[in-house]
Amino acid sequence: MSQSESNGKPKVAFFDFTSCEGCQLNKLNFENELLDILELVDIVEFREAMDDKAEEYDIAFIEGSISTPTCIERIYDIRRRAKVLVALGQCAVSGGINAMKNAMPMEEVQETVYGNDKYLFPSIPAMPVSAVVKVDYEVRGCPMSPPEYLHVLKSLILGRKPEIKDYAVCVECKLKENECVLEKGMFCLGPITRAGCDAICPSNGQYCTGCRGPVSNINKNGAVEMLKRYGFSTEEALKRMKMFNTNELEKEIKWGKE
Amino acid sequence: MGQKIIIDPITRLEGHGKIAIFLNNKGNVDRAYFQVPELRGFEKFAEGRPAEDMPQITSRICGVCPTAHHIASTKALDDLYKVDPPPTAKKIRELIYSTFMVEDHALHFFFLGGPDFVLGPNAPKAVRNILGVLQKVGLETGKKVIAMRRELRELITEMGGKVIHPVLGLPGGVSKKMTEEVQQRFVKVGKDAVEFALFSLKLFEDVVLSDSSYVDIITSDAYTHRTYYMGLVDENNHVNFYDGQIRVVDPEGNEYAKFKPQEYLNMVAEHVEPWTYVKFPFLKNIGWKGFADGKDSGIYSVAPLARLNAADGMATPKAQEYYLKYFETLGGKPVHFTLANHWARLIELLYAAERIVELAGDPEITGDTIRILPDKTPREGIGVVEAPRGTLFHHYQTDERGVITKANLVVATQNNAARIAMSVDKAAKSLIKEGHYDDGILNQIEMAFRAYDPCHACATHAFPGEMPLVIEIFNQNGRKVTQINR
């Protein structure tokens, strides 16, 4: 990667759009690595911990989804000034949990929250960053996985392409020798969700909610059939698959809608 | 000619905010608005989903206090299925919750709100951040803070899987037992946390309380509001973060109401203003009287300042000592100084740390019964906790299958929204005179809301948009003359 002239360190910036800012805080939590990272890069923009600003970036990390007209203006401006742009966390990668509202009429969403005052507050569907500008790399998860983020950052500093996992959470879950969550009688999206989280939720007695989005080659009909076999209706299966993945499912996956 | 100042995005807070300041033709402040320009709509998209997904969905409202939403939601599910979790599960939940409170309060004091005090409100903005704090307090101290927060987070991760968006709570209990090895780690970290809290309080006394210019700022009229105060209390009327009844005191400090979380709709109503996405809750029986303080206005406040005012004391010994000292120093109960939130926050940090030691030392916490399976037909459930930023309500209604038909969330920062709006307005009016304002003054206006540690991701739990802080300045004709981006 080409580097800024000032001190030879790449300029790295972080921006947040509509999100819970958990990914951003996850980065403040790398205390051990933080000082090492600061040796290698110049962090030029990071609102939650700093007050200062800069003009252009070697790497721009984008957190959150695009959900207002101003978001669109801002992301164009950032893309114009960024050599490499990375979507950080599921809101930026796919729209994430915010996109749940896309499955409903926008007016209804506004009305539920603001009643008769709904027209005072304009809103657009929650979109992934890639719906508006070119995204070079992705770090998935809700919140984004810290080791994966470090891997992407290190790779970019070294000038190579980061490797991203593309197999199911089930693989990682099996390696941990967990009892199958579906066999326990709970719902689980492990079979179709992209690995990389180290199967945290099933390992802690919970079920997979699909927060890293589907693997790229899921067997769509097979997934619904499997969940039906475990006693979940098509309707429930689809509803729960959409928790983090409304945009993907609405876009490519039409099963269950015939 | 008049002007309008807008501070947008506001820095060093969680979520996004915008301050618009309107100047009149003398250059004095006509009105300052604190706006939250985004809507996410969690209440709507919860509809039609299985209630058991709610602890996962609602934790995504906020990456700063996911644990608060997660636990409030889990408690709402207990209430929904009318199941009383076993003692071990309750203790595990409260232990994790106390750990989270220590971690979160430490984050605010050292990373977000502290820089204004430790470095001074007029320090150049390039140094007014955590790195500047580290320089001022010394690297050794800095390392202590960092190590402490790391240990706390590792333990939350141990029990909750992730520190951001944990997966611990299930209706009727928790998902994971505590081993004796983990229990011992909690005991150790709890003791360290008590030391850390005492160290933080000493730092506050040395840097802030011993400097009369700071004390003057804290007690100045610009940062004072006489409102009602709300907080969760235990059976002895001591501050409790995890459970209890809600107590409200009036601006004189007398008990106005004490009620079960399930009764909140009888007590609280919400008001909408056209200029912000936040809804303003107020005390229903007193009524919405506009942005005014005093006994006749239904505006109330939550968070550390309010919790200490609303309670009669702290449940742990060291925190109680500081509780008494706090009111003695600041002139008795209730304390109305917004900036006293910072001190109150550290006293709560000490309480939470002492609570970790108590709970982790309880042999019952490693018990085997961690969940009672719900078997009742669900209908309606309400769960309340004290989030770091104040009282947090989760309220769900479901059909007989447990599918959500209606959800209502009243979030901490929202409970504080009216007082925050007043604080920003008052600080701006007091500090900007005859059109004169500089970075230091604008930062002092930001301090008026930063003291509440406001979280607008939470306050709107709602969506479109981004929203760090911008200050815009408008003249009396409404034309923008200056914009300062933060």
Coordinates of all heavy atoms in Angstrom, one line a residue, chain A residues 104-114 118, chain B residues 44 47:
Chain A
M104 N -40.5 -4.1 6.7 CA -41.8 -3.5 7.0 C -42.0 -2.2 6.3 O -41.0 -1.5 5.9 CB -41.9 -3.2 8.5 CG -41.5 -4.4 9.3 SD -41.4 -3.8 11.0 CE -41.2 -5.4 11.7
P105 N -43.2 -1.8 6.1 CA -43.4 -0.5 5.4 C -42.8 0.6 6.3 O -43.1 0.7 7.5 CB -45.0 -0.3 5.4 CG -45.5 -1.7 5.6 CD -44.5 -2.5 6.4
M106 N -42.0 1.5 5.7 CA -41.3 2.5 6.5 C -42.3 3.4 7.3 O -42.0 3.7 8.4 CB -40.5 3.4 5.5 CG -39.6 4.4 6.2 SD -38.4 3.6 7.2 CE -37.4 2.7 6.0
E107 N -43.4 3.7 6.7 CA -44.3 4.6 7.4 C -44.8 3.9 8.8 O -44.9 4.6 9.8 CB -45.5 4.8 6.5 CG -46.2 6.1 6.9 CD -47.3 6.5 5.9 OE1 -47.0 6.4 4.7 OE2 -48.4 6.8 6.3
E108 N -45.0 2.6 8.7 CA -45.4 1.9 9.9 C -44.3 2.0 11.0 O -44.6 2.1 12.2 CB -45.7 0.4 9.5 CG -47.0 -0.1 9.9 CD -47.1 -1.5 9.5 OE1 -46.6 -2.5 10.1 OE2 -47.7 -1.8 8.4
V109 N -43.1 1.8 10.6 CA -42.0 1.9 11.5 C -42.0 3.2 12.2 O -41.9 3.3 13.4 CB -40.6 1.7 10.9 CG1 -39.5 1.8 11.9 CG2 -40.6 0.3 10.2
Q110 N -42.1 4.3 11.4 CA -42.1 5.6 11.9 C -43.2 5.9 12.9 O -43.1 6.5 13.9 CB -42.0 6.7 10.8 CG -40.7 6.6 10.1 CD -40.8 7.4 8.8 OE1 -41.4 7.1 7.8 NE2 -40.1 8.6 8.8
E111 N -44.4 5.3 12.4 CA -45.6 5.6 13.2 C -45.5 4.9 14.6 O -45.9 5.4 15.6 CB -46.8 5.0 12.4 CG -48.1 5.6 12.9 CD -49.2 5.2 12.0 OE1 -49.2 5.7 10.8 OE2 -50.1 4.5 12.4
T112 N -45.0 3.6 14.6 CA -44.8 2.9 15.8 C -44.0 3.7 16.8 O -44.3 3.8 18.0 CB -44.1 1.6 15.6 OG1 -44.9 0.9 14.6 CG2 -44.1 0.8 16.9
V113 N -42.9 4.3 16.3 CA -42.0 5.0 17.2 C -42.6 6.4 17.6 O -42.5 6.9 18.7 CB -40.6 5.1 16.7 CG1 -39.7 5.8 17.7 CG2 -40.1 3.7 16.3
Y114 N -43.1 7.1 16.6 CA -43.4 8.5 16.8 C -44.9 8.9 16.7 O -45.2 10.1 16.8 CB -42.6 9.4 15.9 CG -41.1 9.3 16.2 CD1 -40.2 8.7 15.4 CD2 -40.7 9.9 17.4 CE1 -38.9 8.6 15.8 CE2 -39.4 9.8 17.8 CZ -38.5 9.1 17.0 OH -37.2 9.0 17.3
K118 N -44.9 11.3 13.1 CA -44.0 10.5 12.2 C -43.4 11.3 11.1 O -42.3 11.1 10.7 CB -44.7 9.3 11.7 CG -45.9 9.6 10.8 CD -46.7 8.4 10.4 CE -47.9 8.8 9.7 NZ -48.8 7.7 9.3
Chain B
K44 N -40.6 -1.5 16.6 CA -41.4 -2.0 15.5 C -40.8 -3.4 15.0 O -41.6 -4.3 14.8 CB -41.4 -1.0 14.4 CG -42.3 -1.4 13.2 CD -43.7 -1.5 13.6 CE -44.6 -2.2 12.5 NZ -46.0 -2.4 13.0
E47 N -41.7 -6.7 16.7 CA -43.1 -7.3 16.5 C -43.0 -8.5 15.6 O -42.4 -8.5 14.5 CB -44.1 -6.3 15.9 CG -44.5 -5.3 17.0 CD -45.3 -4.1 16.4 OE1 -45.9 -4.3 15.3 OE2 -45.4 -3.1 17.1

